[in-house]
């Protein structure tokens, strides 16, 4: 066997942008200046749910430095949804609100002016004629008969291939409960979390002499943003040049395509670079948050600690629009049974719309919230059965050869070994039976690979 | 509107003259840590602003064992030079180092609860504030009478806070600030206690609280129950309970009113016990 | 009141800037003078990203009217970056992965420099206390504290940089 020379694995590799960051040379969006740059400020809905009867720009137009106002009529394809590019539909979010607003802070009209102060002043002078409508803020309230319906297709939930929720069915849940010695119920409600990156969301769109538009943006999703912008503006993709990669923190909060389309439209129409950068208030009030969930568990447990039945009804609060939440709920449904082997599983995961700020991605979206719930529930089960929390997890952990509730056979499990290592690291003693467990101890487990001897590792 | 004028008077007399000339619509600031954020956001849009950094009010002077602090003295100077440990403790609780450099002793009196970390210490020390106007001269007001409501005080429209006077401190002082973080955090409750004990009994006591009412205040009923009482955990617990009953906490994103009230009951007795130890 | 000229020493050089009343130091540095290393994360003196050093003391430039630095000495990150190589603090931040998105980094470096200038060998508690007004959403702070500690414990730790 030839000697391996490793240049990266096993070495400390310094960040390629580290030097730029420590010398202050990294260019963030607010560092970008052009002499003829204009500033975009958004007129936002002050109400949670309202019909728009009119917008009066007459006072705004008088503000010195005012350049232009944009409404939905200026947007070639106003209704979109960011994940349309991976087949998640339907299009349901407006770039600028048309006849209705569905959340407090929703974008209604864009004001462009020669200075930031003028844009703020002009935006403040826009008069909105709004008719307040009943609003709904709770996921279960939103699904009750008689709740105000806020989506155009007539329900307050996302439709998953014709169904009202994402469903996982495995085994027979009633048989599972019948075999149980304990029923353990729980309700877990992870709340929305604001990412609060130090750099706020924003972009600068600049029209170039050759007819292209350069968009400098701090999005995490450069291609999503570029492609969606092209679809919204109804221009060929190659008309746009997106420049990014320097993101002043995001954690999932800069994956929604929100600022680029309207800034690019404004640049196209005014012939000037246009900066649209959230204030800290906008970042807190209007930018997407982690999805909030309400998750009901009903588990059937045998007296020796096996989970033989798990029934979960979960409600995700998508807020007013899709963003990444329908996709998150799919992942959530796959993970809410936990990393455990359970022979009877019944999951209904709803993606519900309310008149709240749209929720979207945040670190491990869909799954983090599931883990929060499954592990609190596991501790509750441990207390009910009178078992050690590590040992009950080792008992139930999925092994190689197990079938997951969504019909995939496990072939790469290492959970048992990880739990045992964790117990060892914190000096938590495990019973002999549990110490002997491995991820390969099922009869139908694939063969365990040979461990690599230390000498063979480089 | 954008600010049209920013005045930087070089003396107190000049400052008072400008206030007299331009009236209360002129925004007065010292460190700017409270006013500038509001101006940056466009919440506050003063046509005229007066900054007090240069007006000769930035001193910290030892006087008769106590200290006279100019209203525009940076908090960091108070922390380093006041010679009063309770004041240094209070300043340590204010945000971070840069804010302590910029914020001032007088300015901190205008911080909206739950912010404002200095007043509890000053109240416990029986501080007085000197107010001055161009036409009517100076007057001294006990700090306990300065605050009248949420962000309201007894300052007349033509007056400035010019000095804080702290008498020579006697007794044992303790300051406890409870927040959701250990540092750089708004208070759930702040307690300052000054205890004079003699022969195992309370000779006199001050209990000052912030973040549990519209303004910093003394828990006078609790103080009354303590005077003459034995230095005993049960006595402290009863006084703490009285303090909790006499506060008027509010709910905000930091904590609920109910939790604040219960925390008054925890931290007042803790502070008393530490002062008596 | 018309715009006025404010004269101050910036990173060792006498500098003039023409500003409207109450223009902040951050705005003057970033937009008028093109010194964009100083960042603004909140515009309300809460996050510490805009920290610069005035006469040896750390201040928040986003809430400081530039007129207040008339005749004073202002030091920004551009002023401690040598023309070749790195200031020891910059090197330590880079090596200790005290930098992820980089947005808090200029403020963190400036407050750390201010600390080490006054107290060349701070304890960990003193470092934490000094940096407590600077927010970071990425690193969890430990690598930053470690970087400052590494410089604090080194010999000849705080020399370097074009303009002290």
């Amino acid at each position: 066997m030839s000697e391996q020379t490793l240049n990266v694995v096993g070495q400390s590799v310094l960040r390629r942008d580290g030097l730029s960051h420590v010398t202050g040379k990294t260019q963030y969006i607010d560092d970008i200046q052009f002499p003829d740059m204009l500033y975009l400020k958004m007129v936002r809905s002050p109400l949670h749910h309202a019909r728009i009867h009119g917008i009066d720009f007459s006072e705004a137009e008088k503000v010195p430095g005012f350049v232009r106002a944009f409404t939905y009529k200026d947007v070639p394809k106003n209704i979109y949804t960011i994940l349309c590019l991976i087949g998640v539909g339907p299009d349901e979010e407006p770039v600028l609100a048309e006849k209705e607003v569905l959340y407090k802070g929703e974008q209604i009209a864009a004001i462009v002016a020669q200075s930031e102060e003028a844009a703020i002043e002009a935006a403040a002078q826009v008069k909105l004629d709004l008719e307040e409508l009943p609003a709904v803020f709770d996921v279960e309230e939103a699904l009750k008969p008689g709740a105000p319906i806020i989506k155009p297709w007539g329900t307050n939930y996302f439709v998953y291939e014709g169904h009202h929720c994402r469903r996982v069915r495995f085994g027979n849940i009633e048989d599972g409960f019948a075999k149980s010695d304990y029923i353990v119920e729980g309700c877990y409600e992870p709340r929305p979390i604001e990412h609060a990156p130090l750099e706020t969301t924003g972009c600068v769109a600049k029209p170039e002499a050759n007819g292209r538009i350069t968009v400098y943006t701090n999005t995490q999703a450069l291609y999503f943003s570029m492609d969606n912008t092209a679809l919204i503006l109804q221009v060929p993709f190659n008309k746009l040049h997106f420049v990014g990669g320097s993101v002043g923190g995001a954690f999932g909060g800069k994956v929604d395509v929100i600022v680029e389309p309207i800034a690019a439209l404004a640049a196209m129409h005014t012939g000037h670079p246009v900066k649209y950068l959230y204030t800290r208030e906008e970042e807190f009030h209007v930018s997407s948050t982690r999805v909030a969930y309400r998750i009901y568990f009903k588990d059937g447990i045998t007296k020796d600690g096996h989970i033989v039945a798990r029934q979960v009804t979960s409600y995700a609060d998508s807020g007013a629009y899709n963003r990444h939440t329908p996709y998150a709920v799919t992942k959530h449904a796959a993970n809410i049974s936990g990393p455990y082997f359970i022979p009877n599983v019944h999951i209904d995961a709803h993606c519900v719309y309310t008149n709240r700020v749209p929720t979207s991605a945040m670190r491990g979206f869909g799954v983090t919230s599931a883990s929060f719930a499954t592990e609190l529930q596991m501790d509750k089960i441990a207390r009910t059965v009178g078992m050690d929390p590590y040992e009950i997890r080792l008992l139930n952990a999925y092994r190689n050869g197990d079938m997951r509730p969504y019909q995939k056979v496990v072939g790469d499990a290492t959970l048992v070994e990880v739990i045992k290592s964790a117990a060892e690291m914190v000096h938590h003693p495990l019973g002999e039976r549990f110490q002997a467990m491995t991820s390969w101890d099922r009869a139908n487990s694939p063969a365990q690979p040979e461990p690599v001897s230390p000498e063979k590792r480089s | 509107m954008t600010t049209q004028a920013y005045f930087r008077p070089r003396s107190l007399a000049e400052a008072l003259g400008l206030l007299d000339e331009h009236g209360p619509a002129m925004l007065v600031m010292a460190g700017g840590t409270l006013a500038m954020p509001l101006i940056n956001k466009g919440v506050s849009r003063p046509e005229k602003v007066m900054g007090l950094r240069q007006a000769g009010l930035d001193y910290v002077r030892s006087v008769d064992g106590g200290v006279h602090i100019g209203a525009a003295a940076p908090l960091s100077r108070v922390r380093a030079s006041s010679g009063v440990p309770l004041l240094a403790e209070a300043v340590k609780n204010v945000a971070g180092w840069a804010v302590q450099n910029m914020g001032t002793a007088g300015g901190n009196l205008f911080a909206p609860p739950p912010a404002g970390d200095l007043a509890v210490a000053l109240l416990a020390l029986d501080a007085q504030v000197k107010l001055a106007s161009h036409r009517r001269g100076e007057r001294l007001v006990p700090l306990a009478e300065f605050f009248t409501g949420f962000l309201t005080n007894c300052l007349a429209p033509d007056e400035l806070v010019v000095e804080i006077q702290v008498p020579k401190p006697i007794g044992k002082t303790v300051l406890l600030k409870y927040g959701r973080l250990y540092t750089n955090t708004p208070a759930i409750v702040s307690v300052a206690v000054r205890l004079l004990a003699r022969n195992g009994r309370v000779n006199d006591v001050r209990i000052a609280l912030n973040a549990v009412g519209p303004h910093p205040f003394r828990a006078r009923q609790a103080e009354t129950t303590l005077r003459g009482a034995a230095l005993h955990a049960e006595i402290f617990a009863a006084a703490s309970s009285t303090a909790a009953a006499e506060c008027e906490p509010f709910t905000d994103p930091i904590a609920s009113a109910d939790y604040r009230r219960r925390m008054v009951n925890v931290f007042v007795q803790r502070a008393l016990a530490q002062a008596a130890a | 009141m018309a715009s006025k000229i404010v004269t101050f020493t910036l990173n060792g050089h006498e500098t003039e800037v023409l500003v409207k009343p109450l223009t902040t130091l951050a705005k003057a540095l970033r937009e008028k003078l093109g010194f964009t290393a100083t960042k603004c994360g909140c515009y309300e003196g809460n996050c510490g990203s805009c920290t610069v050093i005035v006469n040896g003391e750390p201040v928040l430039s986003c809430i400081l009217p530039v007129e207040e630095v008339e005749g004073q000495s202002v030091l920004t990150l551009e002023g401690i970056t040598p023309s070749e190589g790195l200031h020891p603090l910059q090197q330590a931040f880079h090596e200790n992965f005290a930098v992820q998105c980089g947005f808090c980094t200029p403020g963190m470096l400036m407050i750390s420099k201010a600390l080490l200038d006054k107290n060349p060998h701070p304890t960990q508690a003193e470092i934490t206390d000094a940096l407590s007004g600077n927010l970071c959403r990425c690193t969890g702070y430990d690598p930053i504290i470690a970087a400052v500690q590494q410089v604090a414990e080194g010999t000849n730790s705080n020399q370097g940089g074009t303009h002290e």
Side-chain angles (χ1 to χ4, degrees):
Chain A
M1 201 117 201
S2 58
E3 274 280 308
Q4 282 182 298
T5 315
L6 295 173
N7 296 318
V8 176
V9 172
Q11 315 291 330
S12 184
V13 180
L14 295 180
R15 296 180 63 100
R16 45 198 294 243
D17 53 8
L19 293 175
S20 178
H21 289 343
V22 299
T23 55
K25 295 193 170 118
T26 303
Q27 184 177 68
Y28 300 92
I29 297 304
D30 206 16
D31 299 329
I32 297 172
Q33 297 280 328
F34 295 108
D36 60 331
M37 191 165 75
L38 304 177
Y39 297 80
L40 189 156
K41 290 290 171 185
M42 192 59 71
V43 176
R44 300 184 179 282
S45 170
L47 300 173
H48 300 289
H49 190 196
R51 200 159 285 137
I52 303 172
H53 289 297
I55 310 176
D56 178 3
F57 294 103
S58 55
E59 289 304 309
E61 287 163 359
K62 295 181 189 153
V63 172
F66 171 89
V67 172
R68 242 205 88 151
F70 293 88
T71 68
Y72 74 90
K73 296 177 184 153
D74 299 303
V75 185
K77 179 175 181 288
N78 192 47
I79 309 292
Y80 72 114
T81 193
I82 43 177
L83 293 183
C84 65
L85 298 162
I86 58 166
V88 177
D91 288 344
E92 41 77 77
E93 183 166 7
V95 174
L96 294 173
E98 296 190 358
K99 299 289 192 294
E100 263 197 22
V101 280
L102 298 187
Y103 69 98
K104 185 173 169 185
E106 183 164 359
Q107 306 190 141
I108 296 179
I111 301 293
V112 177
Q114 287 171 338
S115 69
E116 198 181 357
E117 291 78 25
I120 293 171
E121 178 64 31
Q125 294 296 333
V126 172
K127 309 275 180 285
L128 298 169
D129 181 5
L130 301 174
E131 175 198 343
E132 190 160 9
L133 297 170
V136 63
F137 301 111
D138 179 271
V139 283
E140 289 183 274
E141 290 298 318
L143 295 178
K144 285 194 178 138
I149 297 297
I150 64 176
K151 299 309 273 187
W153 54 83
T155 71
N156 285 340
Y157 52 82
F158 181 84
V159 178
Y160 287 98
E161 285 108 39
H163 293 277
H164 66 291
C165 61
R166 194 49 104 185
R167 302 158 318 125
V168 178
R169 303 285 183 265
F170 188 62
N172 183 314
I173 194 76
E174 293 306 328
D175 280 357
F177 286 136
K179 291 191 179 84
S180 309
D181 299 304
Y182 302 101
I183 302 290
V184 179
E185 295 188 81
C187 177
Y188 307 100
E189 294 195 64
R191 305 306 304 144
I193 300 176
E194 166 51 39
H195 316 76
L198 275 200
E199 186 203 21
T200 58
T201 305
C203 69
V204 176
K206 176 172 184 276
E208 304 294 354
N210 62 5
R212 295 182 83 197
I213 302 182
T214 306
V215 181
Y216 303 90
T217 164
N218 56 30
T219 183
Q220 295 173 259
L222 214 53
Y223 285 97
F224 268 160
S225 298
M226 182 172 77
D227 297 349
N228 272 297
T229 300
L231 292 171
I232 288 165
L233 298 181
Q234 300 272 279
V235 298
F237 287 18
N238 62 15
K239 187 173 160 89
L240 301 175
H241 178 199
F242 269 56
V243 178
S246 286
V247 184
F251 325 112
K254 289 176 176 155
V255 294
D256 296 337
V257 181
I258 297 300
V259 294
E260 296 92 347
I262 188 62
L265 184 75
M268 263 170 64
H269 282 277
T270 61
H272 288 266
V274 174
K275 178 182 279 188
Y276 179 16
L277 183 68
Y278 277 8
T279 62
R280 181 52 61 186
E281 282 69 25
E282 284 175 307
E283 196 68 37
F284 268 114
H285 290 174
V286 158
S287 78
S288 60
T289 63
R290 185 190 280 287
V291 182
Y293 289 81
R294 182 174 302 144
I295 310 167
Y296 294 99
F297 275 74
K298 180 180 171 187
D299 288 343
I301 320 292
T302 60
K303 56 171 151 343
D304 62 351
H306 281 101
I307 310 172
V308 293
R310 170 157 283 175
Q311 181 179 308
V312 178
T313 309
S314 177
Y315 302 95
D317 190 341
S318 188
Y321 296 104
N322 282 342
R323 307 281 173 90
H324 281 69
T325 305
Y327 177 54
V329 172
T330 298
K331 294 203 296 162
H332 178 84
N335 283 275
I336 196 69
S337 52
Y340 305 111
F341 175 68
I342 305 172
N344 303 290
V345 172
H346 182 288
I347 296 166
D348 279 348
H350 301 78
C351 175
V352 185
Y353 300 101
T354 65
N355 294 113
R356 288 168 159 269
V357 171
T359 61
S360 193
M362 185 174 185
R363 302 183 71 135
F365 67 111
V367 186
T368 322
S369 320
S371 302
F372 172 76
T374 58
E375 297 319 301
L376 285 174
Q377 177 71 355
M378 203 52 151
D379 286 345
K380 194 170 185 183
I381 292 169
R383 286 193 297 274
T384 305
V385 172
M387 267 184 82
D388 174 87
Y390 287 76
E391 291 177 354
I392 198 162
R393 285 172 169 86
L394 285 166
L395 183 69
N396 286 284
Y398 62 61
R399 277 31 180 196
N400 291 310
D402 284 345
M403 177 70 83
R404 306 285 285 129
Y406 45 85
Q407 311 284 349
K408 282 200 71 147
V409 177
V410 181
D412 57 356
T414 47
L415 180 59
V416 170
E417 289 72 21
V418 167
I419 296 175
K420 284 177 8 180
S421 291
E424 193 183 313
M425 286 173 86
V426 298
H427 310 297
H428 185 98
L430 297 172
E432 243 183 75
R433 172 164 82 104
F434 301 95
Q435 199 54 54
M437 288 177 173
T438 77
S439 292
W440 281 265
D441 55 25
R442 292 270 193 263
N444 61 338
S445 171
Q448 185 169 3
E450 285 291 319
V452 179
S453 71
E455 300 78 52
K456 284 194 188 155
R457 296 179 216 151
S458 166
Chain B
M1 69 167 76
T2 47
T3 300
Q4 301 302 309
Y6 180 45
F7 303 114
R8 301 173 68 225
R10 313 286 268 198
S11 68
L12 176 56
E14 190 185 343
L16 292 174
L18 284 165
L19 181 58
D20 188 67
E21 181 187 339
H22 294 283
M26 178 176 73
L27 187 145
V28 178
M29 70 178 191
T33 57
L34 296 171
M36 288 298 288
L38 299 174
I39 291 171
N40 282 351
K41 304 296 162 184
V43 170
S44 168
R45 300 153 117 222
E47 192 183 342
K48 298 171 192 169
V49 179
M50 177 165 74
L52 295 176
R53 273 194 177 79
Q54 305 250 299
L57 294 171
D58 59 347
Y59 54 87
V60 176
R61 284 182 205 132
S62 294
V63 174
D64 298 331
V67 62
H68 288 192
I69 304 168
L75 290 168
S76 54
R77 188 169 296 161
V78 174
R79 179 174 174 179
S81 317
S82 73
V84 178
L86 193 67
L87 295 180
E89 275 300 302
V91 173
K92 265 200 244 173
N93 285 333
V94 177
W97 184 9
V99 173
Q100 292 172 25
N101 278 340
M102 297 173 79
T104 62
N108 199 260
L109 300 178
F110 296 84
D117 293 291
L118 199 60
V120 284
L122 294 170
L123 285 171
L125 294 166
D126 287 342
Q128 298 190 289
V129 280
K130 187 193 288 185
L131 313 178
S133 80
H134 177 72
R135 291 178 202 221
R136 295 176 290 112
E138 301 179 338
R139 58 184 178 118
L140 263 174
V141 171
L143 185 63
E145 291 167 31
F146 176 76
F147 301 107
T148 55
F150 181 72
L151 290 182
T152 63
N153 50 58
C154 71
L155 206 60
D158 65 340
E159 280 181 321
L160 292 177
V161 175
V162 298
E163 187 178 88
I164 300 168
Q165 295 184 354
V166 178
K168 176 176 169 161
I170 28 172
K172 181 94 179 289
T173 56
V174 172
L175 178 65
L176 296 176
K177 177 179 178 179
Y178 176 47
R180 295 180 69 164
L181 305 176
Y182 290 116
T183 186
N184 191 21
T185 187
I188 296 173
V189 60
S190 263
V191 184
V193 157
R194 185 162 66 96
L195 181 65
L196 287 86
R198 192 189 295 159
N199 300 330
R201 292 193 167 265
V202 177
N203 196 22
D204 204 356
V205 69
R206 302 285 181 268
I207 302 173
L209 296 168
N210 192 30
V212 291
H215 58 79
F217 66 100
R218 276 174 48 194
R220 296 207 188 246
Q221 290 167 36
E223 289 174 357
T224 305
T225 66
L226 281 168
R227 285 193 186 93
L231 298 173
H232 202 277
E234 275 167 22
I235 307 282
F236 297 154
S240 201
S241 176
T242 305
E246 68 179 298
C247 70
E248 298 166 64
F250 46 84
T251 294
D252 68 5
I254 305 301
S256 67
D258 174 63
Y259 185 64
R260 282 194 152 105
R261 194 184 294 281
R262 289 191 288 134
M263 289 305 104
V264 168
N265 203 359
V266 169
F267 284 92
V268 167
Q269 53 185 297
R270 199 176 283 184
L272 289 167
Q274 284 184 28
Chain C
M1 200 184 265
S3 293
K4 60 198 308 196
I5 297 173
V6 179
T7 307
F8 60 101
T9 305
L10 176 59
N11 299 329
H13 299 294
E14 185 170 289
T15 303
E16 284 181 346
V17 66
L18 181 70
V19 290
K20 295 196 173 75
L22 219 61
T23 300
T24 62
L25 176 59
K27 188 161 180 162
L29 287 169
R30 289 172 46 76
E31 294 177 26
K32 301 276 181 181
L33 297 167
F35 280 74
T36 57
T38 304
K39 305 300 173 197
C40 292
C42 72
Y43 290 95
E44 55 181 77
N46 249 325
C47 73
S49 300
C50 69
T51 305
V52 299
I53 297 175
V54 175
N55 296 346
E57 294 290 342
V59 294
L60 301 172
S61 59
C62 77
I63 54 171
L64 182 65
V66 66
E67 291 151 84
E68 296 297 338
V69 304
E70 174 75 43
Q72 315 291 315
S73 173
V74 176
L75 187 65
T76 69
L77 183 59
E78 290 94 340
I80 72 167
T81 306
S83 41
E84 269 179 55
L86 293 175
H87 186 281
L89 276 168
Q90 292 172 316
Q91 185 69 34
F93 268 57
H94 187 41
E95 285 170 3
N96 283 277
F97 298 94
V99 178
Q100 288 188 26
C101 83
F103 203 81
C104 77
T105 303
M108 287 288 184
L109 284 167
M110 297 315 289
I111 196 90
S112 302
K113 167 146 172 74
L115 170 67
L116 295 181
D117 282 350
K118 287 177 185 289
N119 180 359
H121 303 292
T123 62
Q124 188 179 327
E126 286 169 330
I127 296 171
T128 306
D129 181 51
L131 270 54
S132 65
N134 286 61
L135 302 183
C136 173
R137 291 288 291 157
C138 298
T139 65
Y141 300 101
D142 280 0
I144 297 173
I145 309 284
V148 179
Q149 231 168 349
Q150 184 181 300
V151 180
E153 285 162 7
T155 54
N156 199 29
S157 50
N158 204 28
Q159 299 314 302
T162 334
H163 308 288
E164 296 282 293

